[in-house]
Amino acid sequence: MASHMTDLLERTAPAYERVRRVIPAVEWPAFAEDVDAILALKRARNAVILAHNYQTPEIFNCVADIVGDSLALARQAMAVKADVIVLAGVHFMAETAKLLNPDKTVLIPDLAAGCSLADSITPADVDAMRARYPGVPVVTYVNTSAAVKARSDICCTSGNARAVVEALGAERVIMLPDEYLARNVAAETKVEIIPWRGHCEVHERFTPADIAEVREGHPGVVVLAHPECPPEVVAVADFSGSTAAMADYVADHQPSRVVLLTECAMSDNVAVLHPEVEFIRPCNLCPHMKRITLKAIRAALEENRHEVTIDPAVAAGARRAVERMLAI
Ligand code: 13P
Ligand code: SF4
């Protein structure tokens, strides 16, 4: 038994080295067995794991092959050569990977890993917006179901929203479903934006008072806000951008103190790379992202669950909207 544990810790030592700043050594044995099993399963099944920036450090740093924001995951999904893709993230991300890889097996470790934005809008809502604003193009955030994407002209992410809106060359666009992302983009462009009323349950909770409190308690702190935060929060932040843009900001500017107004795991994952930066941590957990665990990823690979399928009647239209975005 002792020698099994010694061997296991030895085999997983390179993985632990990557997270030792955020996972105490005493906690590592609880992760090591699953990390070891997942690394072996990936080889056996010719699988890759795509992980969003909100995944916990042991997933993000120890078993993932490709990490990033929604845009990076979609771009990289196009180039995957493996037979199986495990999406460590939420359901719409797995659907996007499947749209771009119709012939591969795409697995989501927990089917209930949803998103409040995706839940805020239906295909019938998109049709109603089109009827209300005839001829106005529809830009849809990737945080939506494939059926909603299929009713859209083009998709966007938080990393390219303004570029997508401006690339259409229209005076007005409908931007669905995140009201705050739409209003934050509207503040940066001359294009008139017609928003929907969806909100991210994680980012809508940040307030200007939170920022004031952080600035008072931590002089000199640099405040980075995700564009799913309310516009009044973004207005008093020092920078706003996608999760990847926030990580790049820390890498490029090396602030001595920073707060990332987004999901909690982001700070852990960026902190791993920047031990000299102090991360102040008022953050909110995304319950959907946190459904994805090492145990769920292991079970996904062992039992081939849960396979993502997309109704062929919507897949072609949804793929067109995603590919149009990726071409920009
Ligand atoms: P990005 O990583 O694309 O910024 O998206 C944030 C998000 O909330 C994904 O669920
Ligand atoms: Fe959806 Fe918000 Fe969670 Fe992202 S953080 S998956 S937008 S609920």
Side-chain angles (χ1 to χ4, degrees), residues 11-254:
R11 275 201 307 279
T12 57
Y16 182 61
E17 185 54 27
R18 295 196 284 275
V19 288
R20 66 183 171 76
R21 290 199 191 94
V22 287
I23 297 180
V26 64
E27 289 178 20
W28 181 246
F31 297 118
E33 194 93 46
D34 290 325
V35 167
D36 194 44
I38 290 168
L39 296 179
L41 282 159
K42 282 200 302 179
R43 287 191 294 273
R45 295 206 56 191
N46 189 23
V48 292
I49 298 179
L50 271 58
H52 184 259
N53 288 331
Y54 294 161
Q55 292 296 294
T56 47
E58 69 280 5
I59 294 174
F60 189 86
N61 296 284
C62 302
V63 299
D65 301 283
I66 295 167
V67 296
D69 64 359
S70 312
L71 183 58
L73 294 183
R75 278 201 197 292
Q76 305 249 29
M78 285 203 302
V80 165
K81 297 272 187 294
D83 299 322
V84 178
I85 296 173
V86 179
L87 202 303
V90 292
H91 195 262
F92 74 80
M93 295 176 179
E95 274 195 336
T96 303
K98 181 68 183 177
L99 286 171
L100 298 169
N101 291 279
D103 300 328
K104 294 190 194 302
T105 300
V106 176
L107 304 175
I108 176 104
D110 189 323
L111 269 179
C115 171
S116 66
L117 282 167
D119 288 346
S120 74
I121 190 155
T122 66
D125 293 327
V126 184
D127 293 346
M129 287 296 272
R130 281 198 188 276
R132 193 163 161 203
Y133 300 100
V136 179
V138 175
V139 176
T140 293
Y141 199 25
V142 286
N143 299 38
T144 46
S145 67
V148 164
K149 289 182 177 75
R151 298 288 222 281
S152 314
D153 293 290
I154 189 167
C155 287
C156 75
T157 75
S158 61
N160 63 12
R162 179 181 170 186
V164 167
V165 161
E166 294 183 345
L168 295 175
E171 280 175 20
R172 297 208 287 177
V173 304
I174 296 168
M175 202 172 164
L176 311 170
D178 187 349
E179 179 197 345
Y180 296 149
L181 176 68
R183 286 172 49 198
N184 286 322
V185 171
E188 295 176 348
T189 181
K190 291 195 171 74
V191 180
E192 185 193 338
I193 310 275
I194 303 165
W196 182 247
R197 53 175 177 271
H199 297 141
C200 161
E201 68 187 86
V202 175
H203 294 93
E204 70 176 351
R205 305 212 303 268
F206 292 110
T207 65
D210 293 333
I211 298 187
E213 198 177 310
V214 168
R215 288 199 194 278
E216 202 183 311
H218 305 277
V221 68
V222 174
V223 179
L224 312 186
H226 193 275
E228 290 170 9
C229 292
E232 57 273 22
V233 169
V234 169
V236 290
D238 298 303
F239 173 81
S240 176
S242 77
T243 55
M246 285 194 264
D248 289 347
Y249 184 101
V250 174
D252 294 346
H253 294 79
Q254 296 286 313

